[in-house]
Structures are given as structure tokens and as C-alpha cells.
Amino acid sequence: MNLQTLPGLFISHGSPMLAINPEQIGPALERLSFNLPRPQAIIVMSAHWESNALEVNTGIRPETWHDFRGFPPQLYQMRYPAPGEPELAEKILGMLSEAGLHAYANNTRPNDHGVWMPLLHMYPEAEIPVIGISLPMNMNAHDIYRIGQTLAPLREQQILLIGSGSITHNLRELDRTGQAATMPEWASIFRNYVVSKLTHSDYEAVLDWPNLPYLQRNHPTLEHFAPLFFSMGTGTRFSLVHSSFSMGSLGMDIYRFD
């Protein structure tokens, strides 16, 4: 089999409602999947799997987890029945261990919406094996970056690596009126600063997250930003795939790392 190298991606997965109303991000994800070789498997670090220690999903067929409340009933009927791939999961555990990153197997973890929401638009048939890895909150930015570096060689085996979070994520600041909301300056300055640093290969400035402009306004908690550190570790060449905002200040960017 002639395997092709896939990129690493950072995907802003947005609100669960994007499964019903995909706005601009859904078509962008669909186009992206058409332009990539079809993955042999997909590895996702989701903002919604925070853990004390690094974990890897070794389940055979993880359930679809609707890890949200207060949304329309049709959203809870959706399923993304992608299989797992325990053999690849064990390989990932081995790679992490060899790099000094101790990780644990978890064969009961369902796929949260940070995993299945973007994949619903990219690969709606749900036939490609998906393996989730956790976001260990006891690790610093450089450690999470190193997880991406450790798994980066899997890209050469036509395996897609995804960090699923959000470039901005302050739910209290969202405009839920349904009108065409104006993007606030604090969100655009933050987003533009990060993109500028990545464009100029200044990864260290992004990993130095406490000094990013308007950090607390954009990320009162870090879990939706941290998957970017993982994605950055997967490749040294950055490119911007898509940029938009939802509900005013919710950044919906997609970044590619080759």
C-alpha cells in the first residue's frame, strides 16, 4: 500500500448546534476532507476530555456522547458510530512511553462532541477508525506540544492528527440573539496575534500562553486552547485553512500543520 502523508490539524469545533446549522465551518471542513488523502485512521485530542493523566481510547467501538444540555431533541438522536482501532491505540501508547510520556489505556471512554462534531462534516459515513487521546491538565504547554511531536510520524502512515478546541472560547461573551453579531476587538486581536506568530514560525510565543493579548477574555479556562499546542507539535509549517466567527466572539478557525 502506497501511504501518503497527512497534515496535523487544529479545528475549532464550536457549538453543538453546528451539527444542525453548520454555518461557514461545516462547508470548510467538507472541502478540507475532499482535498486530503482519505485517512487510514484519525487521532483526536478533544478539549472535552480533560484528564489527570494522559489517556488513550482503546475501545473497539466507542459510543457517541451527547455531552451537552438544553439543545433541540434532534441533536441527541445523532450518532457517529466510527470504530476504534485498539491495535493502533496500543501502538500510540508505546510511542508515548518511549518518549517518556506515560499514558494509560481507556476502553470505556465515549466520543464527546469535540471528537464527532467536526468529523460529522468531514467524514459523515463514520467508517474511518477514530482514536481519542485525552487532554492532561497536569501537563504544561510544552508537554502537550511534545505529545504532538511524538505522534507526528504517524502522519506518514496516512493517519490524520487533530486537536479539537477553539481559537477563542468565552461562552459568557457570546451573542445568542441570532442576529449578525459584530466580532469584538479583543477576540480579533487575540486571534490575529496567534495566527501571526504561527505564520512566522514563532511557536514559542504561542506556547508562552500567559502573555498572549486578552488571554483571559478569550479563554477564561485553557482547555479549548490547549489542543492547539498538540496540533503545533505535529508539523513545522503552518497554514490557515479557514477563519470565521460565530455568535460574535466564538472563533471558528481551522489550522493546518505540515
Side-chain angles (χ1 to χ4, degrees), residues 213-226:
Y214 299 103
L215 173 75
Q216 285 297 321
R217 194 81 183 269
N218 286 279
H219 291 283
T221 56
L222 198 63
E223 79 286 338
H224 275 76
F225 192 57

Side-chain angles (χ1 to χ4, degrees), residues 13-16 46 48 65 67-68 111-118 164:
H13 61 249
S15 161
S46 168
H48 295 279
W65 187 14
D67 54 323
F68 41 76
N111 285 330
D112 58 64
H113 78 275
V115 176
W116 62 264
M117 187 68 62
S164 177

Side-chain angles (χ1 to χ4, degrees), residues 130-232:
V130 176
I131 297 171
I133 59 175
S134 73
L135 175 61
M137 297 310 290
N138 63 334
M139 289 189 175
N140 62 35
H142 288 84
D143 290 334
I144 297 170
Y145 176 76
R146 195 152 66 89
I147 297 171
Q149 287 181 310
T150 300
L151 300 186
L154 295 173
R155 293 175 38 222
E156 299 174 7
Q157 300 175 33
Q158 210 160 316
I159 294 172
L160 186 61
L161 305 181
I162 297 174
S164 177
S166 190
I167 188 58
T168 65
H169 192 264
N170 186 340
L171 300 185
R172 292 183 179 180
E173 296 274 7
L174 299 184
D175 186 334
R176 303 177 190 273
T177 63
Q179 306 299 317
T182 302
M183 175 180 55
E185 188 178 36
W186 52 263
S188 63
I189 288 175
F190 178 88
R191 178 260 171 206
N192 292 343
Y193 182 90
V194 171
V195 168
S196 175
K197 294 303 179 183
L198 293 174
T199 300
H200 292 92
S201 300
D202 189 359
Y203 283 20
E204 195 59 40
V206 180
L207 294 172
D208 184 24
W209 56 268
N211 290 314
L212 296 175
Y214 299 103
L215 173 75
Q216 285 297 321
R217 194 81 183 269
N218 286 279
H219 291 283
T221 56
L222 198 63
E223 79 286 338
H224 275 76
F225 192 57
L228 175 59
F229 307 147
F230 167 75
S231 301
M232 288 163 56

Side-chain angles (χ1 to χ4, degrees), residues 30-175:
E30 186 177 1
R31 288 192 300 271
L32 177 59
S33 67
F34 288 153
N35 292 327
L36 294 175
R38 185 175 178 82
Q40 299 291 312
I42 302 169
I43 299 170
V44 184
M45 175 183 280
S46 168
H48 295 279
W49 187 4
E50 296 178 76
S51 61
N52 292 323
L54 181 58
E55 298 183 43
V56 177
N57 193 334
T58 57
I60 296 172
R61 189 170 288 276
E63 295 290 330
T64 303
W65 187 14
H66 303 87
D67 54 323
F68 41 76
R69 291 185 294 177
F71 289 91
Q74 67 191 100
L75 198 53
Y76 299 91
Q77 304 305 314
M78 291 184 171
R79 295 291 182 273
Y80 193 81
E85 193 170 310
E87 187 175 336
L88 176 57
E90 291 294 336
K91 180 178 180 177
I92 291 168
L93 287 165
M95 293 173 70
L96 293 168
S97 178
E98 288 176 13
L101 295 162
H102 190 67
Y104 297 86
N106 184 328
N107 65 3
T108 61
R109 170 78 185 184
N111 285 330
D112 58 64
H113 78 275
V115 176
W116 62 264
M117 187 68 62
L119 297 182
L120 189 69
H121 297 292
M122 296 180 77
Y123 305 105
E125 67 281 359
E127 294 173 349
I128 301 171
V130 176
I131 297 171
I133 59 175
S134 73
L135 175 61
M137 297 310 290
N138 63 334
M139 289 189 175
N140 62 35
H142 288 84
D143 290 334
I144 297 170
Y145 176 76
R146 195 152 66 89
I147 297 171
Q149 287 181 310
T150 300
L151 300 186
L154 295 173
R155 293 175 38 222
E156 299 174 7
Q157 300 175 33
Q158 210 160 316
I159 294 172
L160 186 61
L161 305 181
I162 297 174
S164 177
S166 190
I167 188 58
T168 65
H169 192 264
N170 186 340
L171 300 185
R172 292 183 179 180
E173 296 274 7
L174 299 184
D175 186 334

